[in-house]
């Protein structure tokens, strides 16, 4: 009865998380929608809030038709970035220029074929011909909007961009079909800040560069970085699982205490006896959480350091033209390879974390839901970040297997103590 109830609670929790994820996804779609405007055509420029040195600048331009007639988009121009004309201190990401965000089924599978915009002029300002990004051109019906993404990057060396606030102006030209195809222009602005990253991401990028000088391949450098990180954190992993194993060894005695003090009135006595049991067996309740808390800042720093690093732009990886590209930017045939690898490796890591005798029904959500969630997120990760996560999960799986095998050697598998139902 208890196991069935536990499974029901797990499935209910899983359902709540899925519904919450759906709500957040819809909320994200709503918040990214272009606000209404009194202008016939509105242009909203959405750069990242902040950017660090040697990072890619992605300008998301959303054009909405607020007029009462059909329009056709012709050109898109980066008028200025900061106080300089055109892209200013930034340069075009070679091979990517600007592209149209495809309409997608369920937000994942593209439902139309798009082509990158053709660069018409680079000086004194960037001008793209976006008219033929679709075979039929880009037309907007009344109330319709489309999103175009401009890919810029920071030069390295002496021409590196100066830290500060940058105001970006983007101009879009379009034809108004109800006004004898009159060509009209309208502007949109966006602001972002170029600032230094914190010590940890800068340090991680320095390590990546040193490894690159050694192996001359950024993908191999990421593999060596991940392996080195796992070796360094091995004592923390061993501490975490030692705490879990020690807790699992006490489960039969904890079950007996719960059976001895079944009533709510005995809660205080049960708590005292439980803490005494932990103390007598040298079990520290916080030793399982502390390693995770220590490693968490490093994980966040790795995300920042790897996900948008411009030197990865010229580093191909197997099926991907560049490590800095996302799976969503790849063709459909190869776009799902890395998300599947991330999901599979996360699942392997989950199943190797079980302790003998542990009630796996309590971990059902983490075992099955987390790999699916990570695979979903990895579709918009850069290839470099997805590669790191997959390697980290696989190295963790091997590490967990060896650590748990060593800690549980000779340990009898405890049989779960099932509390008898009071119902007759």
């Amino acid at each position: 009865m208890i196991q069935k109830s536990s499974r029901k609670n797990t499935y209910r929790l899983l359902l709540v998380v899925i519904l919450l994820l759906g709500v957040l996804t819809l909320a994200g779609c709503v918040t990214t929608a272009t606000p209404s405007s009194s202008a016939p055509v509105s242009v909203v420029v959405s750069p990242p809030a902040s950017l660090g040195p040697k990072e890619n600048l992605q300008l998301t331009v959303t054009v909405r038709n607020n007029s009462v007639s059909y329009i056709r988009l012709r050109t898109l121009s980066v008028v200025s970035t900061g106080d300089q004309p055109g892209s200013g201190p930034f340069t075009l990401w070679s091979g990517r220029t600007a592209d149209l965000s495809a309409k997608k089924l369920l937000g994942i599978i593209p439902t139309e074929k798009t082509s990158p915009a053709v660069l018409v002029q680079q000086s004194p300002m960037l001008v793209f011909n976006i008219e033929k990004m679709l075979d039929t051109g880009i037309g907007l019906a009344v109330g319709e909007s489309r999103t175009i993404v401009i890919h810029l990057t920071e030069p390295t060396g002496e021409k590196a961009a100066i830290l500060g606030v940058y105001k970006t102006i983007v101009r879009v030209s379009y034809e108004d079909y109800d006004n004898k195809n009159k060509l009209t222009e309208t502007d949109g602005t966006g602001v972002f800040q170029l600032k230094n990253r914190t010590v940890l991401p800068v340090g991680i990028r320095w390590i990546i560069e040193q490894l690159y000088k050694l192996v001359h391949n950024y993908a191999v450098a990421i593999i060596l970085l991940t392996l080195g990180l796992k070796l360094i954190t091995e004592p923390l992993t061993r501490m975490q699982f030692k705490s879990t194993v020690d807790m699992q060894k006490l489960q039969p005695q904890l079950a007996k205490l719960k059976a001895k003090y079944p009533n709510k009135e005995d809660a205080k006595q049960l708590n005292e006896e439980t803490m005494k049991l932990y103390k007598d067996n040298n079990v520290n309740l916080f030793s399982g959480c502390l390693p995770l808390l220590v490693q968490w800042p490093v994980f966040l720093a790795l995300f920042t350091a790897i996900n948008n690093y411009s030197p990865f732009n010229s580093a191909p990886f197997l099926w991907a033209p560049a490590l800095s590209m996302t799976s969503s930017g790849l063709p459909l045939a190869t776009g799902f390879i890395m998300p599947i690898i991330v999901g599979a490796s996360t699942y392997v890591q989950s199943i190797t974390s079980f302790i003998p005798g542990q009630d796996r029904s309590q971990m059902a959500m983490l075992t099955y839901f987390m790999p699916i969630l990570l695979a979903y997120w990895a579709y918009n990760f850069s290839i470099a970040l997805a590669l790191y996560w997959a390697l980290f999960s696989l190295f963790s799986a091997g590490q967990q297997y060896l650590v748990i095998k060593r800690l549980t050697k000779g340990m009898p598998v405890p049989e779960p103590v099932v509390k008898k139902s009071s119902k007759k």
Side-chain angles (χ1 to χ4, degrees), residues 60-258:
T60 303
V61 182
T62 304
V63 185
R64 180 180 176 85
N65 182 8
N66 302 312
S67 67
V68 294
S69 63
Y70 181 87
I71 66 170
R72 181 180 294 274
L73 304 183
R74 293 290 299 276
T75 62
L76 184 149
S77 309
V78 180
V79 178
S80 65
T81 303
D83 296 328
Q84 302 185 39
S87 58
F90 303 93
T91 59
L92 273 177
W93 181 347
S94 178
R96 295 212 66 183
T97 62
D99 55 64
L100 182 68
S101 293
K103 294 180 179 178
K104 296 180 180 180
L105 178 65
L106 300 177
I108 300 177
I109 304 174
T111 58
E112 63 182 3
K113 293 183 178 180
T114 63
S115 301
V118 177
L119 179 64
V120 178
Q121 177 183 315
Q122 193 163 5
S123 180
M125 65 181 182
L126 286 172
V127 181
F128 300 99
N129 178 4
I130 60 173
E131 185 180 9
K132 297 298 182 183
M133 294 177 77
L134 291 175
D135 293 337
T136 58
I138 305 178
L140 296 181
V142 177
E144 188 179 5
S145 62
R146 294 307 299 263
T147 299
I148 301 153
V149 182
I150 306 170
H151 302 280
L152 302 175
T153 187
E154 293 182 45
T156 56
E158 296 180 358
K159 294 184 178 180
I162 300 173
L163 303 182
V165 177
Y166 287 81
K167 180 181 179 181
T168 302
I169 302 176
V170 174
R171 180 170 298 157
V172 174
S173 68
Y174 63 94
E175 290 179 337
D176 187 343
Y177 274 33
D178 280 4
N179 198 10
K180 297 181 180 181
N181 295 354
K182 178 184 177 183
L183 191 64
T184 308
E185 295 180 338
T186 184
D187 292 352
T189 61
V191 177
F192 67 93
Q193 185 177 12
L194 180 61
K195 61 182 182 180
N196 277 323
R197 292 299 182 193
T198 53
V199 175
L200 274 177
V202 172
I204 290 170
R205 286 178 177 175
W206 182 84
I207 294 172
I208 290 174
E209 290 300 331
Q210 301 312 306
L211 292 173
Y212 175 74
K213 291 178 182 178
L214 182 66
V215 298
H216 304 290
N217 186 294
Y218 276 115
V220 177
I222 292 174
I223 294 173
L224 293 177
L225 172 68
T226 310
L227 180 59
L229 181 63
K230 289 308 301 176
L231 292 175
I232 293 172
T233 58
E234 195 278 336
L236 295 174
T237 303
R238 188 169 64 251
M239 181 191 303
Q240 176 187 349
F241 280 100
K242 183 179 184 304
S243 175
T244 307
V245 169
D246 290 342
M247 289 284 292
Q248 187 61 32
K249 290 178 180 179
L250 297 179
Q251 288 305 308
Q253 298 179 59
L254 290 172
K256 291 178 181 178
L257 286 176
K258 291 178 181 179

Side-chain angles (χ1 to χ4, degrees), residues 266-308:
D266 302 325
K268 183 178 179 181
Q269 185 67 27
L270 175 61
N271 185 57
E272 291 177 355
E273 291 288 341
T274 302
M275 297 308 296
K276 184 176 183 300
L277 180 64
Y278 289 151
K279 185 177 180 180
D280 292 343
N281 290 272
N282 295 320
V283 174
N284 188 346
L285 296 176
F286 299 101
S287 59
C289 302
L290 184 60
L292 292 176
L293 294 176
V294 172
Q295 296 177 68
W296 187 245
V298 179
F299 295 150
L300 293 178
L302 276 162
F303 183 92
T304 303
I306 293 176
N307 196 40
N308 196 32

Side-chain angles (χ1 to χ4, degrees), residues 29-43:
C29 295
V30 172
T31 54
T32 55
T34 308
S36 60
S37 172
S38 58
V41 174
S42 60
V43 178

Side-chain angles (χ1 to χ4, degrees), residues 104 107 307 325-329 339 375-382 385:
K104 296 180 180 180
N307 196 40
M325 289 190 68
T326 62
S327 293
S328 59
Y376 174 78
W377 285 342
Y379 188 65
N380 290 305
F381 283 173
S382 67
L385 183 60

